[in-house]
Amino acid sequence: MKALVYLGPGKRVLAERPKPVVELPTDAVVKIGKTTICGTDLHILKGDVPTVATGRILGHEGVGIVDQVGSAVSHFKPGDRVLISCITSCGKCESCRKGLYSHCVQGGWILGNTIDGTQAEFVRTPWADTSLYRLPETADDEPFVMLSDIFPTGYECGVLNGKVSPGDTVAIVGAGPIGLATLLTAQFYAPAEIIMVDMDDHRLETARRLGATQSVNSRDGRVAERILELSGGRGVDTAIEAVGVPQTFELCQSIVAPGGVIANIGVHGKSVELHLEKLWSQNVTLTTRLVDTVTTPLLLKTVLSGRLQPLSLVTHHFSLGELMKAYDTFAQAAENRALKVVISNGRG
Amino acid sequence: MKALVYLGPGKRVLAERPKPVVELPTDAVVKIGKTTICGTDLHILKGDVPTVATGRILGHEGVGIVDQVGSAVSHFKPGDRVLISCITSCGKCESCRKGLYSHCVQGGWILGNTIDGTQAEFVRTPWADTSLYRLPETADDEPFVMLSDIFPTGYECGVLNGKVSPGDTVAIVGAGPIGLATLLTAQFYAPAEIIMVDMDDHRLETARRLGATQSVNSRDGRVAERILELSGGRGVDTAIEAVGVPQTFELCQSIVAPGGVIANIGVHGKSVELHLEKLWSQNVTLTTRLVDTVTTPLLLKTVLSGRLQPLSLVTHHFSLGELMKAYDTFAQAAENRALKVVISNGRG
Amino acid sequence: MKALVYLGPGKRVLAERPKPVVELPTDAVVKIGKTTICGTDLHILKGDVPTVATGRILGHEGVGIVDQVGSAVSHFKPGDRVLISCITSCGKCESCRKGLYSHCVQGGWILGNTIDGTQAEFVRTPWADTSLYRLPETADDEPFVMLSDIFPTGYECGVLNGKVSPGDTVAIVGAGPIGLATLLTAQFYAPAEIIMVDMDDHRLETARRLGATQSVNSRDGRVAERILELSGGRGVDTAIEAVGVPQTFELCQSIVAPGGVIANIGVHGKSVELHLEKLWSQNVTLTTRLVDTVTTPLLLKTVLSGRLQPLSLVTHHFSLGELMKAYDTFAQAAENRALKVVISNGRG
Amino acid sequence: MKALVYLGPGKRVLAERPKPVVELPTDAVVKIGKTTICGTDLHILKGDVPTVATGRILGHEGVGIVDQVGSAVSHFKPGDRVLISCITSCGKCESCRKGLYSHCVQGGWILGNTIDGTQAEFVRTPWADTSLYRLPETADDEPFVMLSDIFPTGYECGVLNGKVSPGDTVAIVGAGPIGLATLLTAQFYAPAEIIMVDMDDHRLETARRLGATQSVNSRDGRVAERILELSGGRGVDTAIEAVGVPQTFELCQSIVAPGGVIANIGVHGKSVELHLEKLWSQNVTLTTRLVDTVTTPLLLKTVLSGRLQPLSLVTHHFSLGELMKAYDTFAQAAENRALKVVISNGRG
């Protein structure tokens, strides 16, 4: 089968690889219908993720059709249409029983990381009963590709951890796909104001179209000041960091109101300065989280009922044979005005 | 001044009464701008509320302009535009400090009950600093009349107590003003389905227009069965009782899913049968609540930001001089397709 | 093997039955070390539980040693010492993923109910990975028999649902084993007062010894009045019903303070009268729950650290061969001053 | 009257000052019965707290008897025995109505900071109705001095923010008075293990006597390693920082388990390094808080019921005339084995 293979820092190839098979009784093999590329895949390609070995098939997002199941899989059978979660959960360990699937002792983020991933014609999914989600027969499968990772990530790490509530003022720093998924799911809770921050005017325009009430381009150097103005001098109830660099985390610290929350989503490569000399008395909460995907069933319901429209984040389409080109497009997101790219298997 | 006075069961009159004055240092006197009539006022007129004495000026809702303040009032001054909460809160007692304003030892629901109310040209409001809310100079005051009682009631007793959450299936039994205020504020939380139940097709039509995804007329005798069908046989996550009679409470018991919530809003005149022989093992939560109006500041923000549109519940307008006619209209709500009627002082 | 078998209403026998075997890959067979008898077993014997067929081996509590495991069991192997939960949880269904194990679509309370139970030399336990809990090698196993059912029941249905908190006043109605388990776990949260209610002075004496700050014998007909006195006229923050008859539920309604909680644990055979005409405005929460046993890992830690002493509820010991006599003793609990009886396999 | 006056960095004097009077209608003047010295007072004396002007009477803790009240004070009258909260709360502003008394727009921590404090014969207390708490006539007042600041601080900032729960493993870094108050109130929630960290063996010994299950002297340089061992390699559920320097905050980051909480109590003078490069994926929560004293009523109940024994932290007694000596003793806490010192007015 065709698969996108990591060959070490800076190197990827669309190669022919053997079709995976069921290895353990709890495995399934899924024929990929659609997959996508994540910012994390670009990090891997930069060599920033040491757990990814050379030769690994990338990708941790996708929808498809169950092709084979192991003998212990009881909830799925070949032919079932499924969503593949980016987080593998055994459902049995102490972490899983507490809803902390991201820290499953045998799972967590392993697809496209420590085992082969979804940017291929087929993928082996361990612990299938608790890591796949059934899709309705009638639904178009494309919106659900967005539910493998970015929507649960924005919702769990940003919106839920950030305790976004009706009437609140929320700032989301970073208007990439994750920031925009956060923006869309933040609206589940009717905040009064959502202020979007980015350096790319096109993305801010998209954010306003998708429900941001205010947007601030951070290039002007007065972003903290402007957000304080927009929040009546008080600061924001929730500041969501969706970039992953020290400057944006610094910004969050300077705009959060007493009693507020800083919810970190960004993948940080280095430590940051925490201003406890100021914040110790500000009654703030700061959260970090690798997505658990515990809200996938809930998000499925919001998509099926029309409350959530994930396709608003899809900008480009490719066939599986065009995966290299899809990467090129996604890697130059600004020039290409790319958010999420969808890669289809067998219909290109 | 003109005031609507209760003269015992079945009797009301628009009479001339002395203008109220500040009696205690924590009082304010407010010149009424707009007021409205509540279902509870009709209960009083039926003689169902024994705490209301003959001679009482009715009304516990309204907006207006501060006319006078007592010496201990520090947050308001004459000329301030204010919302009058239906619940008076001293801000000092154990209940108030816990957010249980409805059980304030010196306050609670007293306006138009144990002291004179808002259906008049002026009203004395005790504990003004903690029972009035400032309105912005620029805003039209009419939407805020709806925030004295029905919106906090629907939101606190129905939506918050009912733990309405994204993706949930919610049933609201009763599509009167309170039920519809519940419907509008339930949408703060993006439930997947909101099923509205009433016996009046016109109100159900209004409900669908205001965001109900399904509606069921309870006259057909199969309402529980139909709601179970609509919820895939599982029952609803939240059943909200907004009527106040045994039959509707019975309905809520028969449609709630295991793990779900029954949130009672209705004012009940008699006891009901609770089916513990069935419910003991169903992991359900049942709540009751007299509105605390702790969420008034939050609701103000949702109105000012445009997330909540309270005027969608206003069907009729009257001048203060037409208060008797306003009561006639509201008392025959079905014929008149009346939801909330707004009574204006000095602009009729 | 020897087993206690239900032969229809009023009839039980200690009979010879075939040793169970692994039927499904997710099963284990456990050699019982110790088991006990539950109040529910007496209900079954009265014929009150129609799901229990004639010929059923009773019992849903116990500790033992894993004898055999199915091919899909990955967390346990023969020889492991385990606690058997009274609730079987598949770990995969929507209910289990939400922590509502009691409503597991394939599990829930099935042991000694719809499948053979633990009052035998061996028991087959379905979904072993998610329904058994590992015991440390070194620990005495007797305290853990109490963690199969009564401690999670008292803790989850009574203490957690009842939101017992530091400084609170709590009433527990019923000082049988479940009520006393509630009393012990309520002390996890440092309530100021725990008032115990029962008709049996001996049990009330035990309750005081185990931490109740007050006790009231309900025979005197003034129990509500006395509890109101003990709570300064205010009523209790939490009233826990641990009996299951209308009178005790009525009592809970009359003693709960505004803003308080009634947490039902009792198994009710008939409906009760709910005084909504009074409670509608009292901001009370009422909960029901079949134990989920989601807190079993937590309870294990409290026992291992010495915070919880389950053996304080054990009054009698029998061998498996004496099971009929153990039932006689437990059925006449008052005369025998019996709380929990422990039945040991192979050391009688 | 006699009062302890701050005269600039390093300088304090016991001086004669005029007795305070009621200045605003919401004020009370309280005759001090007992007061104490806080670590914060030492910070002030070092010149670290710029809001404290030369000439200020220090002290923000104490119990006493109401001497005079302003005309708007309705809950207290001369002769009432009261606890003075370290936080002044107007009860009316948005922060107070949300329970964020520490950020009261007119109050917060002002006593012994921006207005004269309690280390004197009398003190003026603004917003008396919502900043004083009634003490029972019969109770010894000494335990309650500890409820002005250290117990609500340990409980709110450490235990509640840290979500200490039954069965948890908790580390408290710093065994000074605040750390020990945290230790005592952590036991309200029955954690399985409480590991105390300090550099002073005497304080660790005290901690073990007061309920710590483990203690680690941090001088040995292997403290993180040892705590990981003590928690089975997993780390702690809650790490509470009660020192206020970068090293101890660093320690907390290295011992918190995935899904755990770091609750900061310490007053930090400089920023710290936050290891987001490691923590971003660890699902941790970090909180800061200036005490709100919202839990004072709850803590009063736990003391009156005997669940909490604040006197276990009192090591020394002085008369008001010995205030300079009391400071000397407290400033050299280690040599003097001092925890809290109680200063009595009129019985020295």
Side-chain angles (χ1 to χ4, degrees):
Chain A
M1 65 173 191
K2 279 200 277 289
L4 193 291
V5 179
Y6 172 66
L7 294 178
K11 289 184 248 161
R12 56 177 153 83
V13 66
L14 187 67
E16 198 63 27
R17 296 292 295 266
K19 180 185 158 185
V21 294
V22 163
E23 296 176 11
L24 290 168
T26 46
D27 286 350
V29 168
V30 177
K31 179 174 198 292
I32 294 296
K34 292 193 168 67
T35 184
T36 181
I37 307 172
C38 182
T40 307
D41 296 322
L42 302 183
H43 278 291
I44 294 171
L45 280 167
K46 284 186 195 138
D48 288 351
V49 188
T51 47
V52 182
T54 292
R56 177 70 62 235
I57 300 175
L58 297 185
H60 50 266
E61 302 169 271
V63 294
I65 292 170
V66 175
D67 184 63
Q68 278 186 278
V69 295
S71 60
V73 173
S74 57
H75 282 221
F76 297 101
K77 58 179 192 315
D80 286 347
R81 299 177 75 217
V82 292
L83 163 67
I84 302 164
S85 177
C86 68
I87 295 294
T88 300
S89 160
C90 77
K92 302 176 176 187
C93 69
E94 194 180 341
S95 293
C96 282
R97 293 294 262 185
K98 290 199 288 195
L100 202 68
Y101 304 169
S102 58
H103 291 82
C104 171
V105 293
Q106 305 186 85
W109 173 43
I110 57 174
L111 282 178
N113 177 7
T114 57
I115 66 171
D116 284 336
T118 58
Q119 292 167 3
E121 291 179 60
F122 293 87
V123 64
R124 180 179 71 91
T125 58
W127 302 109
D129 276 341
T130 40
S131 307
L132 299 177
Y133 294 87
R134 187 180 312 282
L135 295 180
E137 285 309 311
T138 53
D140 171 28
D141 60 0
E142 187 160 320
F144 299 101
V145 186
M146 303 296 120
L147 264 59
S148 288
D149 181 344
I150 60 164
F151 277 96
T153 295
Y155 183 54
E156 296 178 10
C157 308
V159 177
L160 290 183
N161 272 18
K163 293 183 194 149
V164 175
S165 300
D168 276 4
T169 298
V170 177
I172 301 173
V173 182
I178 291 284
L180 294 170
T182 306
L183 169 64
L184 287 169
T185 52
Q187 293 170 70
F188 288 173
Y189 296 93
E193 301 292 342
I194 310 180
I195 304 165
M196 210 79 192
V197 179
D198 203 288
M199 295 190 301
D200 178 333
D201 278 327
H202 174 64
R203 288 190 161 188
L204 290 174
E205 208 180 295
T206 303
R208 282 195 303 271
R209 192 165 35 80
L210 297 180
T213 58
Q214 303 281 350
S215 62
V216 181
N217 191 311
S218 51
R219 288 191 188 280
D220 78 354
R222 293 181 51 249
V223 57
E225 201 179 322
R226 292 196 48 207
I227 291 173
L228 288 173
E229 279 163 34
L230 289 171
S231 59
R234 212 184 126 263
V236 300
D237 299 297
T238 302
I240 299 176
E241 208 282 352
V243 179
V245 299
Q247 299 91 306
T248 46
F249 192 80
E250 184 83 28
L251 174 61
C252 290
Q253 295 182 65
S254 57
I255 60 174
V256 68
V261 184
I262 300 172
N264 184 77
I265 311 179
V267 178
H268 288 260
K270 37 186 167 176
S271 67
V272 300
E273 188 177 5
L274 180 68
H275 294 286
L276 274 187
E277 80 282 12
K278 193 188 93 174
L279 294 177
W280 76 267
S281 63
Q282 295 300 296
N283 301 43
V284 299
T285 299
L286 195 163
T287 63
T288 71
R289 187 170 184 178
L290 177 58
V291 65
D292 293 299
T293 68
V294 279
T295 61
T296 305
L298 174 163
L299 291 167
L300 281 165
K301 289 178 193 170
T302 62
V303 173
L304 291 168
S305 68
R307 300 263 174 203
L308 181 64
Q309 310 276 355
L311 291 186
S312 51
L313 301 191
V314 176
T315 53
H316 293 73
H317 290 83
F318 298 93
S319 70
L320 198 73
E322 300 168 318
L323 249 168
M324 292 296 282
K325 190 172 145 201
Y327 262 87
D328 294 340
T329 302
F330 186 67
Q332 304 299 325
E335 293 95 291
N336 297 310
R337 302 203 163 181
L339 293 169
K340 289 297 275 187
V341 302
V342 166
I343 295 109
S344 299
N345 181 18
R347 284 181 247 165
Chain B
M1 67 172 188
K2 278 201 277 289
L4 194 289
V5 180
Y6 172 66
L7 294 178
K11 289 185 248 160
R12 55 176 153 86
V13 67
L14 187 67
E16 198 62 28
R17 297 292 294 269
K19 182 185 158 185
V21 294
V22 163
E23 296 177 11
L24 291 168
T26 45
D27 287 350
V29 169
V30 177
K31 179 174 198 292
I32 294 295
K34 291 193 169 68
T35 183
T36 180
I37 308 171
C38 181
T40 307
D41 296 322
L42 302 183
H43 277 291
I44 293 171
L45 280 166
K46 284 187 194 135
D48 287 352
V49 187
T51 47
V52 182
T54 292
R56 176 69 61 237
I57 299 175
L58 298 185
H60 50 267
E61 301 169 271
V63 294
I65 293 170
V66 174
D67 183 64
Q68 279 187 276
V69 295
S71 61
V73 173
S74 57
H75 281 221
F76 297 100
K77 58 178 192 312
D80 285 346
R81 299 177 75 216
V82 291
L83 163 67
I84 303 162
S85 177
C86 69
I87 295 293
T88 300
S89 161
C90 76
K92 302 176 175 187
C93 70
E94 193 180 342
S95 293
C96 282
R97 294 293 263 185
K98 290 198 289 194
L100 202 67
Y101 305 169
S102 59
H103 290 82
C104 171
V105 293
Q106 304 186 83
W109 174 43
I110 57 174
L111 281 179
N113 176 8
T114 57
I115 66 171
D116 283 336
T118 57
Q119 293 168 2
E121 291 178 61
F122 292 88
V123 65
R124 180 179 71 90
T125 58
W127 302 109
D129 275 342
T130 39
S131 307
L132 299 177
Y133 294 87
R134 188 179 313 280
L135 295 181
E137 285 309 311
T138 52
D140 171 28
D141 61 359
E142 186 160 320
F144 299 101
V145 186
M146 304 295 119
L147 263 59
S148 289
D149 181 344
I150 60 165
F151 277 96
T153 296
Y155 183 54
E156 295 178 10
C157 308
V159 177
L160 290 183
N161 272 18
K163 292 182 195 151
V164 174
S165 300
D168 276 3
T169 298
V170 177
I172 301 173
V173 182
I178 292 284
L180 293 170
T182 308
L183 168 64
L184 286 169
T185 52
Q187 292 170 71
F188 288 171
Y189 295 93
E193 302 291 341
I194 310 179
I195 304 166
M196 209 80 191
V197 179
D198 203 289
M199 296 189 301
D200 178 333
D201 278 328
H202 174 64
R203 290 189 159 187
L204 291 174
E205 209 179 294
T206 303
R208 282 193 303 271
R209 192 163 38 79
L210 297 179
T213 59
Q214 302 281 350
S215 63
V216 180
N217 190 311
S218 51
R219 288 193 188 280
D220 79 353
R222 293 180 52 245
V223 58
E225 201 178 322
R226 292 196 47 207
I227 292 172
L228 290 173
E229 279 164 33
L230 289 170
S231 59
R234 211 184 126 265
V236 300
D237 299 297
T238 301
I240 299 176
E241 209 283 351
V243 178
V245 298
Q247 298 90 306
T248 46
F249 192 80
E250 183 83 28
L251 173 61
C252 289
Q253 295 182 63
S254 56
I255 60 175
V256 68
V261 184
I262 298 173
N264 185 76
I265 310 179
V267 178
H268 288 260
K270 37 187 167 175
S271 67
V272 300
E273 189 176 5
L274 180 68
H275 294 286
L276 275 186
E277 79 282 11
K278 193 188 95 173
L279 294 177
W280 76 267
S281 64
Q282 294 301 294
N283 301 42
V284 298
T285 298
L286 195 161
T287 64
T288 71
R289 189 169 185 179
L290 177 58
V291 64
D292 292 300
T293 67
V294 280
T295 61
T296 304
L298 174 163
L299 291 168
L300 281 165
K301 289 178 192 168
T302 62
V303 174
L304 291 168
S305 69
R307 298 264 174 203
L308 181 63
Q309 311 276 355
L311 292 186
S312 51
L313 300 190
V314 177
T315 53
H316 294 73
H317 291 82
F318 298 93
S319 70
L320 198 73
E322 300 168 318
L323 250 169
M324 293 296 282
K325 190 171 145 202
Y327 261 89
D328 293 340
T329 302
F330 186 66
Q332 305 298 325
E335 292 95 290
N336 297 310
R337 301 201 164 183
L339 292 169
K340 289 298 275 186
V341 303
V342 167
I343 293 109
S344 299
N345 180 18
R347 283 182 246 165
Chain C
M1 67 171 189
K2 278 200 277 288
L4 194 290
V5 180
Y6 172 66
L7 294 177
K11 289 184 247 162
R12 55 178 154 84
V13 67
L14 187 68
E16 198 62 28
R17 297 291 295 266
K19 180 185 159 184
V21 294
V22 163
E23 295 176 13
L24 291 168
T26 45
D27 287 350
V29 169
V30 177
K31 179 174 197 292
I32 294 296
K34 292 193 169 66
T35 183
T36 181
I37 307 172
C38 181
T40 306
D41 296 322
L42 301 182
H43 278 291
I44 294 171
L45 279 166
K46 284 188 193 136
D48 288 351
V49 188
T51 46
V52 183
T54 293
R56 177 68 62 234
I57 299 174
L58 298 185
H60 49 266
E61 301 169 274
V63 294
I65 293 170
V66 174
D67 184 63
Q68 279 186 279
V69 295
S71 61
V73 173
S74 57
H75 282 220
F76 298 100
K77 59 179 192 312
D80 286 346
R81 299 176 76 216
V82 292
L83 163 66
I84 302 164
S85 177
C86 69
I87 296 294
T88 300
S89 161
C90 76
K92 303 176 175 186
C93 70
E94 193 181 342
S95 293
C96 282
R97 295 292 262 186
K98 290 198 290 195
L100 201 69
Y101 304 169
S102 59
H103 290 81
C104 170
V105 293
Q106 304 185 84
W109 174 42
I110 58 174
L111 281 179
N113 177 6
T114 57
I115 66 171
D116 284 337
T118 58
Q119 293 168 2
E121 292 179 62
F122 292 88
V123 65
R124 179 179 72 90
T125 58
W127 302 109
D129 276 341
T130 41
S131 307
L132 300 177
Y133 294 86
R134 187 179 314 280
L135 295 180
E137 285 308 311
T138 52
D140 171 27
D141 60 0
E142 187 160 320
F144 299 101
V145 186
M146 302 296 120
L147 263 59
S148 289
D149 180 345
I150 60 165
F151 277 96
T153 296
Y155 183 53
E156 296 178 9
C157 308
V159 177
L160 290 183
N161 272 18
K163 293 181 194 150
V164 174
S165 300
D168 276 3
T169 298
V170 177
I172 301 173
V173 182
I178 291 285
L180 294 169
T182 307
L183 169 64
L184 287 169
T185 52
Q187 293 170 71
F188 288 172
Y189 295 94
E193 302 292 341
I194 311 180
I195 305 165
M196 209 79 192
V197 179
D198 203 287
M199 297 189 300
D200 178 333
D201 278 328
H202 174 65
R203 289 189 159 187
L204 289 175
E205 208 179 294
T206 303
R208 282 193 303 271
R209 191 164 37 78
L210 296 180
T213 59
Q214 302 282 351
S215 63
V216 181
N217 190 310
S218 51
R219 287 191 188 281
D220 78 355
R222 293 181 51 248
V223 57
E225 203 179 320
R226 293 195 47 207
I227 292 172
L228 289 173
E229 279 163 34
L230 290 170
S231 59
R234 210 183 126 266
V236 300
D237 299 297
T238 303
I240 299 176
E241 209 283 351
V243 178
V245 298
Q247 298 91 306
T248 46
F249 191 80
E250 183 83 27
L251 174 61
C252 290
Q253 295 182 64
S254 56
I255 59 175
V256 69
V261 184
I262 299 173
N264 185 77
I265 311 179
V267 178
H268 289 259
K270 37 187 164 175
S271 67
V272 300
E273 189 176 4
L274 180 68
H275 293 286
L276 274 188
E277 79 283 10
K278 193 188 93 173
L279 294 177
W280 76 268
S281 63
Q282 295 301 295
N283 301 42
V284 298
T285 299
L286 196 163
T287 64
T288 71
R289 189 169 184 178
L290 177 58
V291 64
D292 292 300
T293 68
V294 280
T295 62
T296 305
L298 173 164
L299 291 167
L300 281 165
K301 289 177 192 169
T302 61
V303 173
L304 291 168
S305 68
R307 298 264 174 201
L308 181 64
Q309 309 276 356
L311 291 186
S312 51
L313 301 191
V314 176
T315 52
H316 294 74
H317 290 83
F318 298 94
S319 70
L320 198 74
E322 299 167 318
L323 249 168
M324 292 296 282
K325 191 172 144 201
Y327 261 89
D328 293 341
T329 302
F330 185 67
Q332 305 298 324
E335 292 95 292
N336 297 309
R337 302 201 163 183
L339 292 169
K340 289 297 278 186
V341 302
V342 167
I343 294 110
S344 299
N345 181 17
R347 284 182 245 165
Chain D
M1 68 173 188
K2 280 200 277 289
L4 194 290
V5 179
Y6 172 66
L7 294 177
K11 290 185 246 160
R12 54 177 154 86
V13 67
L14 187 65
E16 198 63 26
R17 297 291 295 267
K19 181 184 159 186
V21 294
V22 163
E23 298 176 10
L24 291 169
T26 45
D27 286 351
V29 168
V30 177
K31 178 174 199 290
I32 293 295
K34 293 193 167 68
T35 184
T36 181
I37 307 172
C38 181
T40 307
D41 296 322
L42 302 183
H43 277 291
I44 293 171
L45 280 166
K46 284 187 195 138
D48 288 352
V49 187
T51 48
V52 182
T54 292
R56 177 68 62 235
I57 300 175
L58 298 185
H60 50 267
E61 302 169 271
V63 295
I65 293 171
V66 175
D67 184 63
Q68 279 186 277
V69 295
S71 61
V73 173
S74 56
H75 282 220
F76 298 101
K77 58 179 191 316
D80 285 347
R81 301 176 73 216
V82 292
L83 163 66
I84 302 163
S85 177
C86 68
I87 295 294
T88 300
S89 161
C90 76
K92 302 177 175 187
C93 69
E94 192 179 343
S95 293
C96 282
R97 294 293 262 185
K98 290 198 289 193
L100 202 69
Y101 304 169
S102 58
H103 290 81
C104 172
V105 293
Q106 305 187 82
W109 173 43
I110 57 174
L111 282 178
N113 176 7
T114 58
I115 66 171
D116 283 337
T118 57
Q119 293 167 3
E121 292 179 61
F122 292 88
V123 66
R124 181 179 70 90
T125 58
W127 302 110
D129 275 341
T130 40
S131 306
L132 300 177
Y133 293 87
R134 187 180 312 281
L135 295 180
E137 285 309 312
T138 53
D140 171 28
D141 60 0
E142 186 161 322
F144 299 100
V145 186
M146 303 295 120
L147 264 58
S148 289
D149 181 345
I150 60 164
F151 277 95
T153 295
Y155 183 53
E156 295 178 11
C157 309
V159 177
L160 289 184
N161 271 18
K163 292 183 195 151
V164 175
S165 300
D168 275 5
T169 297
V170 178
I172 300 172
V173 182
I178 291 284
L180 294 170
T182 307
L183 168 65
L184 287 169
T185 51
Q187 293 170 69
F188 287 172
Y189 296 93
E193 302 292 341
I194 310 179
I195 304 165
M196 210 79 192
V197 179
D198 203 288
M199 296 190 301
D200 179 332
D201 278 328
H202 174 65
R203 289 191 159 186
L204 290 174
E205 208 179 295
T206 304
R208 281 194 303 271
R209 192 164 36 79
L210 297 180
T213 58
Q214 303 280 350
S215 63
V216 180
N217 191 310
S218 50
R219 288 191 189 281
D220 78 353
R222 291 182 53 247
V223 57
E225 202 179 321
R226 291 196 47 207
I227 291 172
L228 289 172
E229 278 164 34
L230 289 171
S231 58
R234 210 185 128 263
V236 300
D237 299 296
T238 302
I240 298 176
E241 208 283 350
V243 179
V245 299
Q247 299 90 307
T248 47
F249 191 80
E250 183 83 28
L251 174 61
C252 290
Q253 295 182 63
S254 57
I255 60 175
V256 68
V261 185
I262 298 173
N264 186 77
I265 311 180
V267 177
H268 289 259
K270 37 187 165 174
S271 67
V272 300
E273 189 177 4
L274 180 68
H275 294 285
L276 275 187
E277 81 281 12
K278 192 188 94 175
L279 293 177
W280 76 268
S281 64
Q282 295 301 295
N283 301 42
V284 299
T285 299
L286 195 161
T287 64
T288 71
R289 188 170 184 178
L290 176 58
V291 64
D292 293 299
T293 68
V294 281
T295 62
T296 305
L298 174 164
L299 291 167
L300 281 166
K301 289 178 193 169
T302 62
V303 174
L304 292 169
S305 69
R307 299 264 173 202
L308 181 64
Q309 310 276 355
L311 292 186
S312 50
L313 301 191
V314 176
T315 53
H316 294 72
H317 290 84
F318 299 93
S319 69
L320 198 73
E322 300 168 318
L323 250 168
M324 293 296 283
K325 190 171 144 202
Y327 262 89
D328 293 339
T329 302
F330 186 66
Q332 304 298 324
E335 294 93 291
N336 297 310
R337 300 201 165 184
L339 293 169
K340 289 298 275 186
V341 302
V342 167
I343 295 110
S344 299
N345 181 18
R347 283 180 246 166

